């Protein structure tokens, strides 16, 4: 990122090689230095603060960086190296790669829970305790490994309090459509996991996620219901003849859309990473929906 923002080049040295030495009880391979507890996270936090500026506040919402909230971090050994280079800031970088952060929905304008609209059998007006879609496992990154999406009790949190709750129950629109615009998928906030709509099969009683493909096109969409614009069908698939996700006895099932449960957005809010954008960039990015 520093090369992009400050200028530079990457040079290939074809004849070079990297050797790796496995450490053992042999004094020859014993480390001549010590890494203190928490030093690795501290150095990562310093690097983020030095290069991302005010987006460091977003970093502090992740569990592994919480201990650095309200603490001073000396980044001079990093910033002194490029203070005279007339570097661009991180927002310039976001705009430079807006086909990822904007068009692919990686930096969302809104995150929300996806609540199933379930009514009791004996009284359609009486709603059951709200259930929402949530990843089965809480992983900030899960590259190459599928996760299962289940119905869990919805959260009452929203806004900044949502960051304090270590649950992957918030979602946002993600991934480019074929025309390059956003969005054709639904991604679990603060993770790399998207609803898997690549090859849905009717009657399957399982909904999985996979590592997001930012160019996936149409895979999972909340499509407004014809009866109520605040209610949605959760359609999955890459063709116009979609299947939908429905609730079947508190679990999930792939069905024909005319038979499917309706869904609603719940406790939506604008996340800090979007709020940190300048007014000009927000105006330019309003095409994200």
């Amino acid at each position: 990122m520093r090369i992009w923002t400050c200028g530079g080049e990457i040079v290939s040295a074809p004849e070079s090689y990297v050797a790796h030495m496995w450490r053992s009880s042999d004094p020859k391979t014993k480390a001549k230095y010590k890494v203190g507890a928490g030093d690795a996270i501290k150095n990562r936090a310093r690097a983020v603060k030095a290069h991302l500026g005010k987006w460091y506040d977003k970093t502090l919402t992740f569990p592994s960086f919480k201990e650095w909230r309200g603490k001073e971090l000396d980044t001079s050994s990093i910033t002194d190296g490029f203070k005279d280079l007339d570097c661009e800031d991180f927002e310039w970088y976001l705009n430079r790669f807006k086909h990822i952060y904007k068009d692919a929905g990686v930096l969302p304008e809104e995150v929300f829970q996806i609540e199933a609209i379930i009514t009791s059998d004996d009284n359609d007006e009486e709603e059951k305790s709200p259930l929402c879609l949530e990843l089965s496992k809480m992983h900030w990154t899960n590259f190459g490994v599928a996760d299962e999406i289940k119905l869990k009790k919805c959260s009452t949190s929203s806004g900044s309090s949502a960051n304090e709750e270590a649950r992957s129950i918030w979602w946002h629109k993600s991934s480019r459509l074929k025309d390059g615009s956003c969005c054709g998928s639904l991604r679990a906030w603060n993770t790399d996991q998207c609803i898997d709509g690549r090859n849905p099969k009717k009657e399957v009683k399982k909904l999985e996620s996979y590592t997001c493909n930012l160019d996936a096109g149409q895979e999972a969409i909340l499509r407004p219901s014809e009866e109520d614009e605040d209610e949605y069908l959760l359609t999955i698939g890459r063709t116009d003849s979609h299947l939908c996700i429905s609730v079947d006895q508190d679990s999930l099932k792939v069905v024909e859309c005319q038979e499917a449960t309706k869904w609603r957005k719940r406790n939506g809010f604008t996340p800090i990473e979007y709020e940190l954008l300048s007014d000009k960039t927000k105006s330019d990015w309003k095409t994200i929906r």
Side-chain angles (χ1 to χ4, degrees), residues 215-275:
D215 286 310
Q218 186 171 290
E219 285 194 344
I221 297 175
L222 286 172
R223 193 178 302 280
S225 167
E226 294 180 359
E227 295 81 18
D228 188 334
E229 63 179 9
D230 292 325
E231 295 182 356
Y232 301 85
L233 289 169
L234 177 47
T235 66
I236 59 172
R238 291 179 168 175
T239 67
D240 290 334
S241 61
H242 296 287
L243 295 172
C244 284
I245 299 300
S246 189
V247 176
D248 181 25
Q249 297 181 345
D250 292 342
S251 62
L252 299 173
K253 183 178 181 181
V254 181
V255 300
E256 296 286 351
C257 289
Q258 61 266 27
E259 307 167 9
T261 301
K262 301 289 197 314
W263 304 79
R264 66 166 65 99
K265 293 182 180 180
R266 175 187 172 96
N267 288 3
F269 65 94
T270 302
I272 183 175
E273 57 266 33
Y274 188 88
E275 291 283 15

Side-chain angles (χ1 to χ4, degrees), residues 117 185 206 250:
I117 302 175
S185 188
K206 189 174 185 180
D250 292 342

Side-chain angles (χ1 to χ4, degrees), residues 18-288:
V18 176
H20 183 79
M21 178 178 66
W22 294 101
R23 300 199 183 281
S24 65
S25 57
D26 190 330
K28 294 180 180 179
T29 63
K30 187 177 180 180
K32 305 299 190 296
Y33 59 86
K34 292 184 178 181
V35 177
D39 281 356
I41 292 294
K42 179 180 179 180
N43 284 333
R44 288 170 61 192
R46 289 175 66 248
V48 171
K49 185 176 182 181
H51 292 93
L52 270 62
K54 58 186 178 181
W55 271 269
Y56 177 62
D57 290 346
K58 169 65 179 181
T59 303
L60 295 178
T61 68
F62 286 89
S64 57
F65 293 95
K66 289 171 90 172
E67 66 175 288
W68 293 104
R69 294 181 191 175
K71 295 182 180 179
E72 292 294 326
L73 275 177
D74 182 8
T75 63
S76 59
S77 63
I78 302 173
T79 56
D80 285 352
F82 58 81
K83 64 182 180 181
D84 298 324
L85 296 180
D86 195 24
C87 299
E88 303 287 355
D89 62 16
F90 184 59
E91 185 157 334
W92 175 93
Y93 182 84
L94 294 175
N95 276 300
R96 171 62 181 78
F97 294 100
K98 63 183 179 180
H99 65 290
I100 296 174
Y101 294 100
K102 169 185 170 290
D103 298 336
V106 171
L107 200 158
E109 180 180 354
E110 180 190 30
V111 299
F112 45 83
Q113 295 174 66
I114 303 175
E115 177 191 348
I117 302 175
I118 307 171
T119 57
S120 54
D121 295 335
D122 57 346
N123 185 349
D124 289 343
E125 299 301 320
E126 180 187 351
E127 294 188 358
K128 296 181 178 180
S129 298
L131 296 174
C132 291
L133 296 183
E134 181 176 357
L135 292 180
S136 179
K137 301 174 183 177
M138 183 58 201
H139 290 304
W140 299 111
T141 182
N142 205 20
F143 185 77
V145 180
D147 198 352
E148 187 173 357
I149 301 167
K150 295 186 176 182
L151 282 172
K152 299 288 186 67
K153 184 178 178 181
C154 298
S155 173
T156 58
S157 300
S158 184
S160 59
S161 62
N163 289 303
E164 303 298 326
E165 189 173 8
R167 297 175 62 189
S168 49
I169 202 166
W170 284 269
W171 299 82
H172 61 86
K173 297 177 181 180
S174 180
S175 305
R176 283 180 290 268
L177 296 167
K178 288 183 178 180
D179 64 3
S181 65
C182 193
C183 303
S185 188
L186 290 164
R187 177 175 182 152
W189 185 43
N190 288 332
T191 77
D192 60 7
Q193 295 294 291
C194 286
I195 293 177
D196 190 350
R198 293 174 293 182
N199 187 29
K201 292 181 174 58
K202 186 179 174 182
E203 301 300 321
V204 169
K205 293 187 176 182
K206 189 174 185 180
L207 180 63
E208 291 187 322
S209 70
Y210 79 113
T211 305
C212 299
N213 175 355
L214 298 183
D215 286 310
Q218 186 171 290
E219 285 194 344
I221 297 175
L222 286 172
R223 193 178 302 280
S225 167
E226 294 180 359
E227 295 81 18
D228 188 334
E229 63 179 9
D230 292 325
E231 295 182 356
Y232 301 85
L233 289 169
L234 177 47
T235 66
I236 59 172
R238 291 179 168 175
T239 67
D240 290 334
S241 61
H242 296 287
L243 295 172
C244 284
I245 299 300
S246 189
V247 176
D248 181 25
Q249 297 181 345
D250 292 342
S251 62
L252 299 173
K253 183 178 181 181
V254 181
V255 300
E256 296 286 351
C257 289
Q258 61 266 27
E259 307 167 9
T261 301
K262 301 289 197 314
W263 304 79
R264 66 166 65 99
K265 293 182 180 180
R266 175 187 172 96
N267 288 3
F269 65 94
T270 302
I272 183 175
E273 57 266 33
Y274 188 88
E275 291 283 15
L276 290 169
L277 294 170
S278 67
D279 289 342
K280 182 181 183 306
T281 296
K282 287 178 184 176
S283 178
D284 292 342
W285 285 26
K286 281 298 182 182
T287 52
I288 293 183

